[in-house]
Amino acid sequence: MRNNQFAHLKVPYPQKLTELQTIQYIDETLLEEKNLNRCWQKLLEKAFPQAHSASSKAQKLAGLLATAQKDVPTFLQTDSLSLTVFYNVALQLLGFLPAEDFSLETPLQDMEKIGLFHATQLESTKDLFSAWYDLLCTHTKNGQVFLDDLAAQGYFVPLSTNCTQPLFFNGKAQPIFDTTKLVHETAYVETDLDTDNDGARDLIKVDFIRPSETNHGLKVPAVYTASPYNQGTNDQAADKLMHSMNTPLVHKTPTHLTYEQLRFKSPKTPLPERRKIKGTTSEAEETFSSEFTYSLNDYLLARGFAAVYASGIGTKDSDGVQTCGSPAETAATIAVIEWLNGKRVAFTNKTDHIALKAWWCTGSVAMTGKSYLGTLATAAATSGVAGLKTIISEAAISSWYDYYRENGLVASPGGFPGEDADVLALECFSRKKQPGDYLKVKAEFNRTLTQITHEQDRKSGNYNSFWDARNYLNNTKNITADIFMVHGLNDWNVKPRNVYHLWQALKELPVRQKLILHQGQHIYINNFRSLDFTDMINLWLTYKLYQLDNHAAELLPTVIVQDNLEPEKWTEYTDWESSQAHKQTLWLQPHELTSTLSAVRPGAATFKDHLNTEAFNYYQKNPAIWRKDLLLPENSPLKANRLLFRTASLQHELLLRGTPEVTVKVAVNKDHGMLSFMLVDYGLAKRLGTTPQVIARKALDRGYHWQQEDLVEFELEKATPWKMISLGHINLQNRHFAWQNDELSPNEFYPVTLKLQPTFYRLAVGHQLGLVVYSTDMGITIRPNEDLAYSLQFGESCLRLQMTSTHLDQ
C-alpha cells in the first residue's frame, strides 16, 4: 500500500504543545516529566480511550511489541526508548503488523516506502511530544488519521459532555459533537418562482440536521447538498420515455446563425406576491427520520457543521415542476442559501405562513455532492449568491449541452443511451409520488415536459437557446466562491470536458481553485485508503467556513492526479496542462501515426458505417463487445467499419495532458455524416480498474458510535491489450460551430477539426498510441446504420497532443 497525505499541516513546536493541551492529551504534570520512558508510557496509555482502568490499559500495552523479543511493558522495565522502538509501536497503533507490513528492525525505511511521515530524532521529551503530535495526524492502515481512530474509540467523549464550540487540531475540526443528539428538522423556503403557474410562489422543502449544541447558543456553518433525487424518482415512467437511438442522421439545411441570435435571454414574467407572514417562531413543526445523506456530510456533522438537503422545485413536498438544469432550478437552489444566511424567508409548513429562521446558522455555506448534486452546486456558484463560500463539486456538469450533445450530434451520457433532458425531468419529478398533489399539477407538468422535449431538439442535435440557458459557463464571471473540483478521468457519464472547461474559465477569476483527477468512473472518492480526501475537505471547509487560518489554500496542491500506471499513487501538479509541454503532431498514414510529415504517402483510406441486421442488433445490445471488436487490431469483425492508426512502440514513457485535437480531411458519400474518434493505449498490461473495490468492510469510522463506511481502492485487473484514453464525436455539418449548419456535398473533401475529451495519461514504454476513426458509437451517438462511406485524405490529417517526458513540470 501507499499513503498520500496532502492535508498534514506542519506546525511549529509551541503550537503542537498548545494543541496537544487543547485536546487534553498532555497536561502540566506530563510536561514536567523528564523521564522519556515514563512520558512515553503515559502517551501510550491515552491511545486506548476504550480502556478505563489501569489494568485494562496495561493489558492493551502488553499487546504491542517494542522489539522482536519484548512487548512494551517488558521493554519499559529494561530498556530506554529509541526512535526505532517508538515507530515500531507507532506503526502497530496505526494498524500495521510486524513482519507482514513492516520490519521491527527497519520501521523507518518501511514508513518511507508506505509514505508515512516520521521524526528523525528522539532524544528528549520535546522530541517525543513533537513526534506524538505528528503521529496523531498520520494515517492508519485503514486510511484515516490516528486521532480520528481514537475518536471512534471514545477519546473525545469527555470533551463532548460540555461542548460549546468546535475544537480544532492540526487545522481541522474534530469530532467532538454528540451525534446521538443531532436535531432533524424541516422548513419550507419561499422562492422567487412560480414554475407550476398556480398563482403562488413555489415553496421548496428543506431538511436539515444540526448539532444539538446549537440549542444552547452555538451557531454553525452549513454544508448544503441540493439533490433532485432525494425525495424519490420515477424510474419506470422515465424508462418508458427513453428515446430510441436507432434514428437516421438527417441532412440539415445550411445556416449562418450566430451565437448572438440564439443567446438565452431570461424572460421577465410577473411573479405572485410574497406570502404574508402571520408570525415567527424558532421551533420547527416537522422532523424526519432518514435522508439520502452524503457520507462526507455525515463526517462533517460530528465536527460542528450542519447538513442541509433540498430536492428543489417539482419534487415531493415541494411546489413547482422539474425543468432539468434551467435557470429556475438554479434560483431554487440558491434560495436555500439565502435562507441560511438570513436573506430569505422559510415557513414551518406550507399553509400557516409562520416564518422560521435559520437562527442556528452562521450564514456561511458550502455545497457538496456528485453528478446532478455537484452540477447544482456549480450552478449556484455561477449565480454569485452571497454566503456561498465554496463548493466541492464532484463529477459535475458545467454545460448540459456537453452532457446530452456533442458538436451538433445527439450524444448520450455513457451508460444511458436514449436519456435526455425530458427523461431526467420526469425521473426527478417526485411530486408524482403524491397522487393528491400530482392531480393539481399534472397538466402543467405535462405541458412543461412537452416543451422540454420540443426545445431540446433531438432532430438536429444543435446548440440552441434551450442549451444556452443550461450552460453555466456563460456565468462564470459571477463566481465569488472558491471551488474544489473532483472528476474521474474515466467518467464517460459526465465527461471530463465538463470540469476542464470550468477549470479553464476559473483562471480568469480572482478565486481559488483546486482539482483532483482520479482514475475512476462516476464515483465518490471520500473513502479511499490511499488519499486523505476527507482530511483535505475538512481542512478546506475549516478554513472557508470557520475562517481558521490553517493555510489550507497554500498547503493543498492546486492539482492532484491519480496515476494510471502505479496503484495508490497520487501526484501534485501546478495545472492540468503543462507550461513546458510541447504540441506534438502525429500524421495519419496507412495504419500508422508518424511525426514525420514528409514520410506520409499521398492517398486516402476509406471505411463504411453500415452493418448487416444481425450484427447491428447484436452490437447495439452489447456495446462493450462492440467496443472490444472495434479496437481489436487484427482480425476485427469491424475492420471495414473503422480506421486504425498506431505509433511505433514507445522508447520513452510519455505523459499526455490536456485536450487532444484531431484534424482530418474527410469526404462522405452523402449530404450528411458524422465522425467519431477514440484515442487508445495499445499494449498488454495490468491496468487499474475504474470501479473501486472494497478492501475492508465498515472500516472507516466517522465519529464515536456514528456512521461507518467501507474502505475502498482501485486495484490492478487482469492484463488487457488496450485501454481507451479519450474520445470525441462530431456532425460533419457542424464543422465550425455547434449551432451553425455547414454545407456538406457528397464526395467532397472538407477539413474537420475536433477536440477530444481532455485527459491526463501516462503511456508506458513499449506501448503504442492509437487513434481509431469510425462513425457510429454504439454506446453514445445515435445509430443510423445507413449506407455511409467515409474517406480520409493522408497528408492533411493529423493528431495533436500535449506531451511531456514523465512528470516534467509538476
Side-chain angles (χ1 to χ4, degrees):
M1 66 165 292
R2 182 179 299 185
N3 182 62
N4 300 271
Q5 275 190 260
F6 296 99
H8 185 173
L9 186 63
K10 306 299 190 297
V11 300
Y13 180 70
Q15 184 176 338
K16 289 182 178 181
L17 276 189
T18 299
E19 290 188 20
L20 286 168
Q21 289 176 290
T22 299
I23 66 169
Q24 298 181 14
Y25 211 104
I26 63 174
D27 55 20
E28 291 297 330
T29 302
L30 192 57
L31 285 173
E32 293 173 0
E33 177 63 67
K34 301 305 180 185
N35 182 281
L36 208 56
N37 275 24
R38 285 197 295 268
C39 194
W40 182 49
Q41 180 177 350
K42 292 296 183 183
L43 294 175
L44 286 173
E45 288 173 349
K46 296 208 71 171
F48 297 98
Q50 70 272 38
H52 298 157
S53 69
S55 296
S56 294
K57 292 180 184 297
Q59 177 182 315
K60 297 295 184 184
L61 294 189
L64 300 169
L65 279 179
T67 67
Q69 292 78 33
K70 296 180 181 179
D71 63 18
V72 167
T74 304
F75 178 88
L76 285 168
Q77 294 173 6
T78 59
D79 299 86
S80 297
L81 180 63
S82 67
L83 194 64
T84 295
V85 169
F86 177 86
Y87 282 110
N88 278 341
V89 175
L91 282 166
Q92 293 168 71
L93 292 173
L94 295 176
F96 296 94
L97 293 177
E100 182 176 314
D101 299 313
F102 73 98
S103 166
L104 289 166
E105 284 70 42
T106 59
L108 301 185
Q109 293 93 316
D110 293 328
M111 290 182 76
E112 289 171 4
K113 291 177 184 177
I114 297 170
L116 300 175
F117 175 83
H118 64 78
T120 56
Q121 65 178 32
L122 192 60
E123 299 175 358
S124 65
T125 55
K126 177 181 177 180
D127 294 337
L128 178 61
F129 291 140
S130 179
W132 195 268
Y133 176 96
D134 287 319
L135 177 62
L136 291 174
C137 302
T138 300
H139 263 203
T140 67
K141 186 177 179 178
N142 278 351
Q144 61 184 16
V145 294
F146 184 37
L147 185 55
D148 280 358
D149 188 56
L150 297 186
Q153 301 300 322
Y155 179 82
F156 285 120
V157 170
L159 283 74
S160 300
T161 305
N162 298 306
C163 175
T164 58
Q165 59 185 2
L167 178 68
F168 304 108
F169 186 85
N170 197 239
K172 296 174 277 290
Q174 297 303 308
I176 65 167
F177 290 85
D178 190 344
T179 52
T180 65
K181 297 179 181 178
L182 291 169
V183 180
H184 296 65
E185 294 177 326
T186 299
Y188 294 86
V189 172
E190 185 179 58
T191 68
D192 293 337
L193 303 164
D194 181 17
T195 57
D196 52 16
N197 288 313
D198 65 352
R201 295 189 182 216
D202 295 342
L203 293 173
I204 55 174
K205 179 183 181 181
V206 180
D207 291 336
F208 53 96
I209 310 170
R210 57 182 175 87
S212 62
E213 289 80 2
T214 54
N215 289 330
H216 307 292
L218 176 66
K219 288 191 173 186
V220 297
V223 178
Y224 164 37
T225 300
S227 171
Y229 306 123
N230 270 32
Q231 296 297 323
T233 54
N234 305 307
D235 297 344
Q236 290 183 342
D239 286 345
K240 291 179 182 178
L241 190 60
M242 292 285 272
H243 301 272
S244 172
M245 299 298 286
N246 300 339
T247 59
L249 182 69
V250 300
H251 175 75
K252 296 186 279 192
T253 303
T255 64
H256 297 286
L257 188 68
T258 66
Y259 173 69
E260 287 303 319
Q261 291 174 288
L262 62 84
R263 182 194 294 271
F264 173 74
K265 300 175 181 63
S266 182
K268 294 183 179 179
T269 55
L271 273 174
E273 294 293 324
R274 298 184 185 278
R275 290 167 176 80
K276 302 291 185 183
I277 297 175
K278 296 181 180 179
T280 60
T281 183
S282 60
E283 296 185 11
E285 293 181 4
E286 189 175 331
T287 186
F288 60 97
S289 59
S290 63
E291 180 76 52
F292 287 102
T293 60
Y294 174 21
S295 59
L296 177 65
N297 295 355
D298 293 336
Y299 164 86
L300 294 165
L301 269 169
R303 289 160 168 77
F305 299 83
V308 179
Y309 297 92
S311 291
I313 49 174
T315 61
K316 184 180 175 183
D317 292 327
S318 295
D319 298 332
V321 294
Q322 266 288 318
T323 54
C324 190
S326 72
E329 196 168 40
T330 302
T333 301
I334 66 174
V336 177
I337 299 170
E338 292 170 330
W339 173 64
L340 291 169
N341 64 29
K343 296 178 180 178
R344 184 170 291 275
V345 68
F347 298 100
T348 57
N349 59 53
K350 295 172 72 173
T351 57
D352 292 344
H353 297 188
I354 304 300
L356 177 67
K357 292 185 177 180
W359 49 267
W360 42 267
C361 184
T362 61
S364 293
V365 181
M367 290 190 72
T368 60
K370 171 180 73 75
S371 195
Y372 207 154
L373 291 60
T375 299
L376 292 178
T378 301
T382 61
S383 75
V385 60
L388 182 61
K389 304 300 183 182
T390 188
I391 67 170
I392 316 298
S393 65
E394 305 182 56
I397 296 167
S398 60
S399 168
W400 285 86
Y401 186 85
D402 288 339
Y403 187 64
Y404 284 126
R405 303 286 184 272
E406 186 174 359
N407 298 307
L409 282 176
V410 172
S412 299
F416 299 93
E419 187 187 298
D420 215 322
D422 56 352
V423 177
L424 190 56
L426 176 57
E427 174 147 354
C428 296
F429 181 61
S430 52
R431 287 186 73 177
K432 197 173 187 294
K433 293 187 171 296
Q434 291 181 311
D437 184 44
Y438 178 50
L439 179 65
K440 305 169 191 173
V441 75
K442 180 178 179 180
E444 184 61 31
F445 176 67
N446 287 340
R447 186 197 66 77
T448 300
L449 194 63
T450 299
Q451 183 178 356
I452 292 174
T453 301
H454 171 71
E455 293 181 353
Q456 69 190 12
D457 184 15
R458 288 184 68 85
K459 184 177 181 181
S460 78
N462 281 9
Y463 188 89
N464 59 21
S465 295
F466 176 88
W467 298 112
D468 197 53
R470 291 160 173 78
N471 186 350
Y472 308 126
L473 298 169
N474 291 335
N475 300 313
T476 54
K477 62 182 181 300
N478 301 324
I479 295 175
T480 57
D482 291 342
I483 298 186
F484 200 122
M485 291 160 278
V486 181
H487 214 100
L489 289 164
N490 291 288
D491 188 346
W492 308 118
N493 180 348
V494 178
K495 301 178 186 73
R497 179 176 291 130
N498 280 276
V499 70
Y500 176 83
H501 283 165
L502 181 60
W503 175 258
Q504 295 297 103
L506 290 174
K507 292 179 180 180
E508 308 299 321
L509 303 175
V511 298
R512 292 187 184 272
Q513 59 189 88
K514 305 289 182 182
L515 174 66
I516 297 177
L517 296 172
H518 60 80
Q519 293 298 325
Q521 299 177 347
H522 200 60
I523 61 169
Y524 282 116
I525 64 166
N526 57 299
N527 56 337
F528 275 69
R529 178 177 65 186
S530 61
L531 182 69
D532 61 337
F533 181 73
T534 52
D535 298 341
M536 286 191 281
I537 298 305
N538 188 344
L539 189 80
W540 182 253
L541 294 185
T542 297
Y543 160 63
K544 292 302 303 178
L545 300 187
Y546 271 115
Q547 299 180 318
L548 186 73
D549 186 15
N550 60 10
H551 309 290
E554 296 77 30
L555 176 64
L556 297 179
T558 304
V559 178
I560 300 173
V561 182
Q562 184 186 18
D563 192 83
N564 61 286
L565 293 183
E566 297 182 48
E568 302 190 41
K569 179 180 181 181
W570 301 75
T571 305
E572 60 180 273
Y573 295 87
T574 56
D575 201 348
W576 190 326
E577 298 180 317
S578 171
S579 60
Q580 297 186 30
H582 65 282
K583 282 281 188 181
Q584 174 74 48
T585 300
L586 299 174
W587 297 92
L588 278 60
Q589 66 173 2
H591 313 298
E592 295 181 14
L593 290 172
T594 177
S595 58
T596 307
L597 177 58
S598 59
V600 178
R601 297 183 295 275
T606 62
F607 68 96
K608 64 179 182 178
D609 189 43
H610 186 262
L611 295 169
N612 64 52
T613 302
E614 182 181 358
F616 177 74
N617 290 337
Y618 178 71
Y619 282 135
Q620 66 169 322
K621 294 175 183 176
N622 299 279
I625 296 176
W626 163 83
R627 178 175 290 183
K628 177 182 73 68
D629 287 349
L630 182 79
L631 300 183
L632 193 64
E634 307 296 337
N635 303 314
S636 168
L638 294 172
K639 186 175 182 179
N641 299 88
R642 53 93 163 131
L643 299 175
L644 171 58
F645 307 92
R646 290 189 290 175
T647 65
S649 296
L650 297 179
Q651 301 300 308
H652 304 283
E653 192 175 273
L654 292 176
L655 186 63
L656 310 183
R657 299 172 66 166
T659 307
E661 184 179 273
V662 177
T663 294
V664 293
K665 198 160 188 183
V666 62
V668 62
N669 62 338
K670 296 192 178 181
D671 62 0
H672 54 276
M674 64 179 180
L675 284 183
S676 298
F677 302 87
M678 282 190 196
L679 193 65
V680 183
D681 169 12
Y682 279 98
L684 185 66
K686 289 184 176 181
R687 294 177 169 88
L688 286 179
T690 57
T691 301
Q693 302 300 308
V694 175
I695 56 177
R697 295 282 181 191
K698 304 300 180 185
L700 291 174
D701 290 285
R702 296 315 191 187
Y704 181 59
H705 291 174
W706 185 221
Q707 309 286 13
Q708 292 181 313
E709 196 164 6
D710 293 338
L711 186 68
V712 303
E713 195 57 66
F714 291 120
E715 296 183 344
L716 290 173
E717 297 183 336
K718 292 180 181 178
T720 55
W722 57 70
K723 177 178 174 57
M724 186 183 76
I725 302 171
S726 183
L727 79 172
H729 315 85
I730 189 170
N731 189 314
L732 296 183
Q733 285 197 264
N734 295 88
R735 300 188 298 275
H736 295 93
F737 302 104
W739 56 82
Q740 177 182 297
N741 301 334
D742 301 319
E743 184 57 87
L744 189 71
S745 298
N747 301 314
E748 184 174 333
F749 281 93
Y750 295 92
V752 176
T753 296
L754 171 69
K755 291 183 182 297
L756 306 186
Q757 294 292 332
T759 189
F760 206 115
Y761 193 85
R762 199 151 63 106
L763 275 167
V765 172
H767 285 214
Q768 295 173 285
L769 181 64
L771 179 68
V772 183
V773 185
Y774 59 107
S775 183
T776 296
D777 190 311
M778 287 291 177
I780 295 178
T781 67
I782 60 171
R783 313 178 192 118
N785 200 31
E786 190 178 353
D787 188 17
L788 292 171
Y790 298 86
S791 297
L792 260 64
Q793 202 168 76
F794 298 132
E796 298 188 61
S797 298
C798 64
L799 168 68
R800 294 184 182 88
L801 299 156
Q802 186 184 90
M803 297 195 296
T804 64
S805 297
T806 307
H807 300 321
L808 180 66
D809 182 34
Q810 292 185 2

